[in-house]
Amino acid sequence: MSTQRSRRGVAVAALGVVATLTLSACSSGQEATKPDGDGVGKVDGKISLTYLQKQGDQEYFVGEAAGAKAKAEELGIELKVVNLGSDANKTISEVQSAIAQKTNGLIVVVPDPAVGPQLVQTAKDGKTALLTSDDQICTTGPDPSACDRDALVPRIGFSGAQMGGEVGKRAAEGFKKAGWNPAETRTISAWKQDVTVCTDRVDAAKKAFKDGAGADVKNIDVPTDNTPTGAQDKIAATVTANPDVKHWIVWGCNDENVQGGVTALENAGFKADDVMGVGLGAYLACKNWSSGKPSGMKAALFINGSDVGALAVQTMYDKLKNGKEFPKEAFAPTKMVDSSNWKASGVTCS
């Protein structure tokens, strides 16, 4: 994640909120207080939430749903989880269905940020609170990267800059330790380029690597669909187009991109000692380590979807039950893992 997973402390930057919620006793069967300054009223009685996820069968999002369900049970919330797959159109139809069923709040991981304005308007028309997790959406346009900060819907997830920075730092450390000739080395940045949080991660990785490598290593940007097979195909073509490169460093938006890159390089005949993949998620990276064989996947940043799901539900509960402002963003911490410590760190392989 795309998408899109660690946790325990939370850093929050609070600003405004976009979604509006006005509940009436006659429409929902629950008594709602007068809306506060941002238009969101408290809910008395049992709260009903709907968590809509892209790629709901992906390991990260499976964990996210589990974390959300556990937190909902703890708080006495009725929670429905919906798998949107990769269907952007399904996002709106499922949101409309949830609103029709009198859900009090929507937590959404969009398959495509372009649905943002329509999603926000649908939630507003339905008088239902809206919070995103993982990926950003904008109230005023299809591209969150071109959106004014105040027009971004509040988001629960991870800091893209922090995550990418950790990946780039680890890659730089590995490069220096390997002693590779910069002229014979290339870095690959692989990601779905219309996903804002992915761009944040990759840009931070590039900067951190440049700052830490102590050498000028050329980078190649590779646009992908954020899947292992999609990344593998694109990176295989990139490798073929650069026959003089002897050493490759791969990072991307998620484990899928890096796993695809590592596989492409292995298929091209590169040995594990000449490949340095630094994943983001660890749920695919750990499969390489579980075999005990040498792998080009050298490390991965462990991000745990369970923490994001739990935090999203808690944040929505705090808003609806206690009138607490949504934070503009809330972040969970991460941890770098490798073949020596992934099991002890609690990584679950998909």
Side-chain angles (χ1 to χ4, degrees):
M1 129 311 219
S2 283
T3 256
Q4 37 130 338
R5 306 113 163 215
S6 276
R7 32 312 199 58
R8 264 108 244 168
V10 178
V12 174
L15 285 172
V17 64
V18 190
T20 325
L21 176 67
T22 32
L23 299 170
S24 64
C26 60
S27 65
S28 68
Q30 298 172 343
E31 183 181 352
T33 64
K34 183 179 180 180
D36 58 27
D38 63 9
V40 176
K42 296 180 184 179
V43 176
D44 294 327
K46 193 175 185 69
I47 291 175
S48 173
L49 302 181
T50 306
Y51 209 129
L52 303 103
Q53 300 173 302
K54 70 177 182 182
Q55 301 172 342
D57 56 352
Q58 185 189 81
E59 184 66 29
Y60 170 80
F61 292 114
V62 171
E64 184 176 76
K69 291 174 182 177
K71 178 58 69 172
E73 183 176 0
E74 174 189 327
L75 297 174
I77 292 172
E78 179 183 323
L79 176 69
K80 180 181 180 181
V81 177
V82 179
N83 180 10
L84 300 173
S86 300
D87 189 347
N89 293 326
K90 188 177 181 181
T91 307
I92 302 303
S93 63
E94 290 290 351
V95 164
Q96 291 171 334
S97 176
I99 292 173
Q101 294 173 30
K102 308 303 181 185
T103 193
N104 299 125
L106 298 161
I107 305 169
V108 186
V109 191
V110 293
D112 186 340
V115 303
Q118 185 179 2
L119 171 57
V120 171
Q121 190 61 50
T122 301
K124 182 178 180 180
D125 291 344
K127 299 179 174 59
T128 307
L130 176 63
L131 184 66
T132 64
S133 72
D134 304 288
D135 298 342
Q136 289 180 314
I137 61 172
C138 180
T139 66
T140 57
D143 182 5
S145 66
C147 187
D148 184 83
R149 178 171 174 78
D150 288 338
L152 291 170
V153 175
R155 180 180 76 92
I156 305 299
F158 296 97
S159 166
Q162 183 269 331
M163 289 193 297
E166 290 297 319
V167 168
K169 178 182 177 181
R170 180 59 174 260
E173 291 171 353
F175 167 74
K176 292 170 71 174
K177 184 177 180 179
W180 292 343
N181 183 344
E184 299 175 338
T185 305
R186 295 290 183 275
T187 63
I188 286 179
S189 301
W191 80 106
K192 193 172 188 293
Q193 296 181 353
D194 63 348
V195 178
T196 310
V197 293
C198 288
T199 302
D200 291 343
R201 298 171 190 178
V202 168
D203 285 349
K206 291 179 186 178
K207 183 180 185 303
F209 180 83
K210 183 177 180 180
D211 292 345
D216 185 16
V217 179
K218 293 182 180 179
N219 175 76
I220 302 174
D221 288 341
V222 179
T224 74
D225 61 359
N226 276 354
T227 68
T229 53
Q232 181 178 335
D233 291 344
K234 292 295 184 69
I235 292 175
T238 300
V239 172
T240 300
N242 293 270
D244 296 331
V245 177
K246 296 182 179 180
H247 313 289
W248 292 93
I249 301 170
V250 185
W251 59 64
C253 178
N254 53 19
D255 256 23
E256 284 81 355
N257 282 288
V258 183
Q259 183 63 64
V262 168
T263 301
L265 288 160
E266 289 175 350
N267 291 344
F270 283 86
K271 296 181 180 180
D273 287 345
D274 294 315
V275 178
M276 189 179 302
V278 183
L280 205 162
Y283 48 93
L284 293 182
C286 60
K287 295 177 68 175
N288 298 271
W289 306 325
S290 62
S291 69
K293 298 178 181 178
S295 171
M297 186 72 80
K298 298 299 191 293
L301 192 67
F302 178 33
I303 57 177
N304 193 326
S306 177
D307 287 346
V308 172
L311 180 57
V313 170
Q314 181 70 61
T315 302
M316 182 66 81
Y317 176 87
D318 289 343
K319 181 64 175 176
L320 296 178
K321 183 60 68 175
N322 304 317
K324 184 178 179 180
E325 289 291 319
F326 280 141
K328 194 62 181 177
E329 290 187 300
F331 300 137
T334 58
K335 180 180 181 180
M336 190 64 68
V337 296
D338 56 28
S339 60
S340 69
N341 67 350
W342 68 273
K343 287 184 179 180
S345 298
V347 177
T348 300
C349 284
S350 61

